[in-house]
Amino acid sequence: MTGNPAASGSVTGNPMTGTPAADGPVGPGPAIGAPAPGGPLAGLRVVELGGIGPGPFGAMLLGDLGAEVIRIDRPADAGRPGFPVLHRGRRSVAVDLKHPEGAAAALRLIDGADAVIEGFRPGVAERLGLGPDTCLARNPRLVYGRMTGWGQDGPKAQDPGHDINYIALSGALHTVGPAGGAPVVPLNLVGDFGGGGMLLALGVVSALLSAARTGRGQVVDAAMTDGSAALLAMTYGFLAAGRWRDERGVNLLDGGAPFYTTYECADGRHVAVGAIEPQFHAALLAGLGLTDDPDLARQHDTERWPAARKKLAERFAARPRDAWAAHFAGTQACVTPVLSLGEAPQHPHNAARGTFRTGPTGAPEPAPAPRFSATPPGEPTPAPEVGADTRTVMTGAGLDETELDALVDKGVLS
């Protein structure tokens, strides 16, 4: 198996030691604590049956950590640019999976893979001849990752849906929003990405560890309803302990507490306040000049929360956001500015850690995470044009030039 393709541009070094990372294939294991190139998943090959949203995000995470990811796209999209950021770190082949010879070509790739990821409705991969039974019969060590909203079974398995529908059914959407108001959509972070693609990546890596021990692959059924429910573990724990009301905007961590919420400032921008512990709450009140206010003295008296919120809101409204950020800098008050997408990469903390990187177009994008002391990954390659690597990848899978030309002439490859 080959490692991740060589990255273009500079390669980041070990963020913990400052040691630069080397290019090239992974050799013998490094000494403990010594950096090794390629990332912790270097040497693993993942075939991604191209989809949208959570599946590509899971594949991006695996690619960011060093896996070689080959994305199978549609020939009709050949030549189009890949989706920025979400499709980085890939090679793209354009294969018509609805054509029997296209499915056969895909199986050639899957035969040499450690894992495959698909995000079709249940049964679609089977109808294409690319279901897990077929793939595992040919490659018994294969990990077959399946990404859906509802899961592979259950009454709603065949229903259409999107992030908002899945998190509605898991209870997650119900928890987000103001008291007495409608639920607020938390982008598509909870279903598609946190409860979807990230859960898929964890499942695939876990199954790969099992396959390394046992020699047997398996199917990973990652569903956004299941994943978004798992994200509610602490909330359900609070509910079971009688420490959570099953209502929006009235609890400790849902914006109900005046010391754990956001406040508008004089310039219309906001600060986030997370002063939960008593020492942090005391620092917040000291910074606002409200230490002796009786409405704020009893922090967890919920009857006083409305009055406390009103007084905090009045104080924060008196100055611009950045003035408050400077005022509370270096204190223990847990007050931070709410930054826009454009501002976040410029913050000194994010800049110092390299939380964001400059993408191929010069625009910022999130950097790979988390950090690894001994196996730091290289810089992700840009999202490829659809089909840019078809000939190279399929030749590597064993197709000769005559076979490739014939498949291109039939429209099976592009």
Side-chain angles (χ1 to χ4, degrees):
M1 294 175 291
T2 60
N4 207 31
S8 60
S10 62
V11 178
T12 56
N14 187 329
M16 299 186 181
T17 65
T19 306
D23 290 321
V26 177
I32 298 299
L41 300 184
L44 294 173
R45 174 175 287 174
V46 179
V47 173
E48 174 193 3
L49 306 183
I52 60 173
F57 179 64
M60 185 202 82
L61 295 176
L62 298 174
D64 280 354
L65 301 187
E68 177 194 8
V69 180
I70 299 170
R71 177 179 167 90
I72 297 181
D73 286 302
R74 300 183 307 168
D77 296 328
R80 295 181 183 177
F83 194 87
V85 188
L86 207 56
H87 289 180
R88 72 187 182 192
R90 311 281 215 289
R91 290 192 287 173
S92 171
V93 300
V95 182
D96 183 359
L97 296 179
K98 295 182 179 180
H99 193 290
E101 291 186 73
L107 286 171
R108 297 280 287 269
L109 291 176
I110 293 169
D111 287 347
D114 299 286
V116 63
I117 290 174
E118 60 94 354
F120 304 131
R121 283 194 201 180
V124 171
E126 285 82 352
R127 290 194 293 274
L128 293 171
L130 298 170
D133 289 346
T134 299
C135 295
L136 283 162
R138 297 166 61 106
N139 182 357
R141 296 176 62 91
L142 183 73
V143 170
Y144 195 104
R146 314 196 82 169
M147 183 76 259
T148 59
W150 308 115
Q152 294 298 313
D153 52 30
K156 293 186 70 64
Q158 292 294 333
D159 288 359
H162 290 288
D163 176 293
I164 191 171
N165 307 115
Y166 312 134
I167 69 173
L169 209 68
S170 71
L173 183 59
H174 168 77
T175 66
V176 184
V184 173
V185 180
L187 298 181
N188 57 337
L189 299 177
V190 178
D192 277 350
F193 300 124
M198 194 168 289
L199 185 74
L200 173 67
L202 172 63
V204 166
V205 169
S206 299
L208 285 168
L209 288 171
S210 174
R213 292 194 305 269
T214 66
R216 298 190 304 273
Q218 61 183 298
V219 178
V220 178
D221 175 5
M224 285 175 259
T225 47
D226 300 346
S228 58
L231 294 176
L232 290 168
M234 187 176 72
T235 307
Y236 270 103
F238 281 146
L239 187 66
R243 297 169 58 191
W244 192 272
R245 290 164 56 187
D246 199 7
E247 305 172 39
R248 282 184 295 282
V250 297
N251 297 286
L252 178 66
L253 300 175
D254 63 0
F259 49 84
Y260 197 88
T261 188
T262 61
Y263 289 98
E264 186 173 351
C265 302
D267 55 358
R269 296 187 287 183
H270 294 77
V271 292
V273 175
I276 297 177
E277 289 78 8
Q279 67 272 28
F280 303 149
H281 188 251
L284 171 68
L285 299 188
L288 294 173
L290 295 171
T291 298
D292 298 324
D293 192 298
D295 286 323
L296 297 161
R298 297 170 62 184
Q299 180 182 359
H300 293 282
D301 184 349
T302 57
E303 292 185 0
R304 293 179 179 264
W305 279 5
R309 181 186 298 274
K310 184 174 183 294
K311 290 181 178 180
L312 292 176
E314 289 172 349
R315 287 299 172 97
F316 279 115
R319 297 187 190 180
R321 182 199 67 181
D322 291 347
W324 285 120
H327 178 74
F328 281 106
T331 72
Q332 301 293 304
C334 301
V335 176
T336 52
V338 177
L339 302 179
S340 70
L341 296 179
E343 291 174 315
Q346 309 303 321
H347 190 275
H349 180 80
N350 294 334
R353 280 187 58 81
T355 300
F356 296 86
R357 64 188 289 271
T358 300
T361 64
E365 61 183 51
R371 315 293 173 85
F372 295 86
S373 62
T375 55
E379 288 286 319
T381 56
E385 286 188 356
V386 172
D389 307 291
T390 301
R391 186 167 291 272
T392 301
V393 169
M394 297 311 300
T395 300
L399 273 67
D400 61 33
E401 293 293 331
T402 301
E403 291 176 293
L404 282 169
D405 290 340
L407 291 174
V408 169
D409 290 341
K410 294 176 183 178
V412 176
L413 304 180
S414 180

